């Protein structure tokens, strides 16, 4: 037994003295560290490049050797009356509580090049929102899939709302006077989340287009940008079937595009700071001139009208307005909120706000 024990001790001692036993763990550690460092490099493809602007009249970027720093010269960014010629990028933003195929079909008919259009959507975190998200994702995939031989949008962003959403999407509930402050505050929060997430350094124009807008001119973007206005609203109407006359007809829909009135100012002066004025309701008559009522079927579509309040159904905004700080207040701002508050904020920043009374877009008839 003593001989066997002695043999075991010699074998154990030899194992401890073996170079392989000593260095193998060290070699494995070195290989592991080298692999991790190389993997880190591979997963950062831009780490050996930086972006700089070219000294040309175009707002362009190129990659050159250097560190990982992104450079953007916003002085080269334009927002002009000839947006298409200058290839100015347009960001179309839509808060979407429900998916309407008519909205999507109309969007696909726009003639502005899709390579110059980015899309942004925000969907509420509700049960209905789950279904909306599925339908929207499928519609986007049908266009953006590499297998589809159709023009692709430059970028598509879909956000899931992380704040409280409007509980009911029924038209009677959405437009009830008593629900307006809470509803519009929630909408303002959603709009701001969508805007702050998607506005990029290449964006020249932001087109706010409601998910209920189902009919516009195919040249909508060209038509609105050619006015070269900081904030410009289209006149939103609605097609419907007149049961009395037994014929197709149409009527004004968006009453949030308005001009301030003496009565409106007087009413505001009497309100507490946390109260808002909601336009278009008999409960709070302001007698403001509403752009919806200035439509002339025989008038020039390019006629402009100065406004003090705007709706968000179809609203074109120069990106510099948002960059300067104009957002959608979810709190009473001079007794206004959401899109009407945005118009007030833009005007306080020195921008003029306009509308097109004879240029119609159409809301879904629910």
């Amino acid at each position: 037994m003593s001989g066997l024990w002695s043999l075991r001790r010699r074998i154990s001692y030899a194992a401890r003295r073996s170079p392989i036993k000593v260095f193998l763990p060290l070699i494995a550690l070195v290989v592991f560290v080298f692999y991790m460092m190389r993997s880190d490099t591979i997963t950062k493809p831009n780490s050996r490049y930086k972006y700089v602007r070219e000294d040309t009249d175009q707002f362009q970027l190129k990659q050159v050797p250097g560190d990982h720093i992104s450079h953007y010269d916003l002085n080269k960014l334009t927002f002009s009356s000839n947006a298409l010629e200058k290839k100015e990028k347009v960001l179309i933003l839509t808060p979407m509580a429900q998916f309407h195929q008519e909205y999507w079909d109309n969007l696909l008919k726009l003639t502005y090049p899709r390579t110059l259009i980015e899309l942004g959507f925000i969907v509420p975190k509700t049960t209905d929102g789950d279904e909306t998200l599925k339908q929207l994702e499928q519609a986007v995939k049908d266009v953006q899939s590499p297998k589809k031989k159709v023009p692709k949008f430059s970028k598509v962003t879909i956000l899931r709302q992380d704040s409280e959403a409007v509980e009911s999407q029924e038209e009677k509930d959405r437009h009830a006077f008593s629900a307006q402050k809470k509803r519009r505050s929630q909408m303002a929060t959603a709009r701001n989340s969508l805007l702050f997430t998607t506005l990029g350094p290449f964006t020249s124009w932001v087109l706010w287009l409601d998910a209920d807008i189902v009919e516009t001119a195919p040249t909508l973007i060209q038509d609105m940008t050619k006015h070269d206005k900081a904030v410009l609203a289209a006149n939103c109407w609605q097609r419907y079937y007149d049961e009395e006359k037994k014929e197709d007809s149409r009527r004004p829909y968006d009453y949030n595009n308005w001009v301030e009135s003496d009565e409106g100012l007087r009413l505001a002066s009497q309100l507490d700071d946390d109260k808002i004025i909601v336009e278009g309701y008999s409960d709070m008559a302001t007698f403001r001139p509403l752009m919806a009522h200035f439509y002339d079927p025989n008038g020039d579509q390019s006629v402009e009208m100065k406004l003090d309040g705007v709706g968000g159904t179809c609203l074109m905004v120069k990106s510099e307005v948002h960059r300067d700080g104009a957002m959608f207040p979810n709190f009473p701002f001079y007794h206004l909120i959401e899109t009407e508050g945005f118009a007030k904020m833009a005007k306080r920043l020195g921008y003029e706000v306009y509308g097109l009374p004879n240029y119609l877009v159409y809301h879904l008839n629910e």
Side-chain angles (χ1 to χ4, degrees):
M1 290 293 295
S2 60
L4 180 59
W5 173 254
S6 177
L7 178 62
R8 287 179 177 176
R9 290 186 60 188
R10 286 198 298 272
I11 293 174
S12 175
Y13 178 77
R16 290 198 301 270
R17 297 281 299 188
S18 172
I20 295 178
K21 295 291 185 179
V22 174
F23 291 108
L24 187 58
L26 293 177
I27 294 173
L29 178 62
V30 170
V31 171
F32 175 76
V33 172
F34 175 78
Y35 174 79
M36 291 300 294
M37 292 178 64
R38 182 169 177 78
S39 297
D40 186 57
T41 303
I42 292 174
T43 57
K44 298 179 180 179
N46 293 328
S47 61
R48 296 182 293 115
Y49 296 91
K50 67 179 178 180
Y51 291 87
V52 297
R53 66 175 178 84
E54 293 181 327
D55 292 325
T56 67
D57 292 334
Q58 300 296 321
F59 184 63
Q60 298 177 338
L61 301 176
K62 65 179 181 179
Q63 287 184 323
V64 297
D67 54 3
H68 187 176
I69 301 176
S70 298
H71 297 262
Y72 305 99
D73 187 354
L74 295 183
N75 294 298
K76 296 293 184 180
L77 189 64
T78 63
F79 7 80
S80 64
S81 59
N82 51 348
L84 182 55
E85 179 182 334
K86 291 191 175 182
K87 297 182 179 180
E88 294 170 354
K89 281 206 166 186
V90 179
L91 174 63
I92 301 179
L93 297 181
T94 300
M96 182 172 285
Q98 293 180 319
F99 179 85
H100 299 294
Q101 189 62 45
E102 301 95 325
Y103 159 88
W104 186 254
D105 292 340
N106 183 76
L107 188 69
L108 297 182
K109 293 177 183 177
L110 297 181
T111 58
Y112 203 77
R114 292 183 191 174
T115 54
L116 299 176
I117 296 177
E118 292 187 10
L119 303 179
F121 305 92
I122 186 165
V123 179
K125 55 174 185 179
T126 60
T127 302
D128 290 341
D130 294 339
E131 181 60 29
T132 296
L133 182 61
K134 291 179 182 179
Q135 293 175 298
L136 176 59
E137 287 182 334
Q138 186 57 55
V140 170
K141 289 177 182 178
D142 287 343
V143 174
Q144 298 295 100
S145 172
K147 298 180 181 179
K148 301 288 185 178
K149 296 183 179 180
V150 295
K152 316 295 183 195
F153 292 104
S154 176
K155 182 180 179 181
V156 180
T157 302
I158 302 176
L159 303 182
R160 198 66 191 270
Q161 193 170 331
D162 61 351
S163 57
E164 188 178 2
V166 179
E167 295 177 0
S168 174
Q169 290 303 318
E170 294 293 330
E171 187 172 22
K172 62 181 179 63
D173 296 327
R174 296 204 322 265
H175 296 292
F177 178 78
S178 60
Q180 290 312 297
K181 184 176 180 180
K182 180 179 180 181
R183 174 184 176 275
R184 295 191 184 190
S185 176
Q186 293 170 350
M187 281 298 301
T189 300
R191 288 185 186 275
N192 291 330
S193 297
L194 183 56
L195 173 66
F196 298 153
T197 303
T198 57
L199 185 66
F202 297 104
T203 306
S204 293
W205 299 88
V206 178
L207 173 61
W208 291 95
L209 194 66
D210 271 4
D212 305 303
I213 300 302
V214 297
E215 182 183 345
T216 70
T219 54
L220 174 68
I221 295 176
Q222 297 93 310
D223 293 343
M224 297 193 75
T225 55
K226 73 178 181 182
H227 289 268
D228 196 20
K229 299 300 182 185
V231 181
L232 183 68
N235 198 354
C236 181
W237 277 42
Q238 186 179 55
R239 296 189 188 277
Y240 74 103
Y241 184 76
D242 191 324
E243 293 291 349
E244 292 183 2
K245 297 181 180 179
K246 302 299 180 182
E247 63 181 17
D248 292 330
S249 187
R250 54 188 181 178
R251 59 196 170 196
Y253 184 84
D254 191 349
Y255 294 114
N256 294 330
N257 300 304
W258 45 261
V259 180
E260 189 57 275
S261 66
D262 292 338
E263 180 62 20
L265 293 173
R266 186 195 67 79
L267 186 61
S269 68
Q270 298 176 341
L271 293 176
D272 294 337
D273 290 343
D274 64 339
K275 301 298 183 182
I276 65 169
I277 297 176
V278 182
E279 195 49 59
Y281 292 85
S282 59
D283 308 62
M284 188 175 287
T286 63
F287 301 102
R288 290 165 172 165
L290 308 179
M291 186 177 75
H293 294 155
F294 281 76
Y295 171 64
D296 179 0
N298 300 315
D300 184 354
Q301 285 191 336
S302 63
V303 168
E304 299 170 354
M305 177 180 180
K306 276 195 173 184
L307 299 175
D308 295 298
V310 296
T313 50
C314 184
L315 184 68
M316 184 69 78
V317 182
K318 287 186 177 181
S319 61
E320 65 174 348
V321 179
H322 286 311
R323 288 194 180 92
D324 280 353
M327 38 74 81
F328 300 91
N330 57 4
F331 55 90
F333 181 75
Y334 291 89
H335 304 291
L336 301 171
I337 201 169
E338 203 212 348
T339 58
E340 293 164 299
F342 162 74
K344 185 70 172 182
M345 197 173 290
K347 290 175 73 73
R348 293 286 295 177
L349 287 168
Y351 294 102
E352 292 189 320
V353 177
Y354 286 86
L356 300 175
N358 296 330
Y359 189 86
L360 298 186
V361 299
Y362 291 94
H363 189 279
L364 178 72
N365 184 19
E366 298 174 287

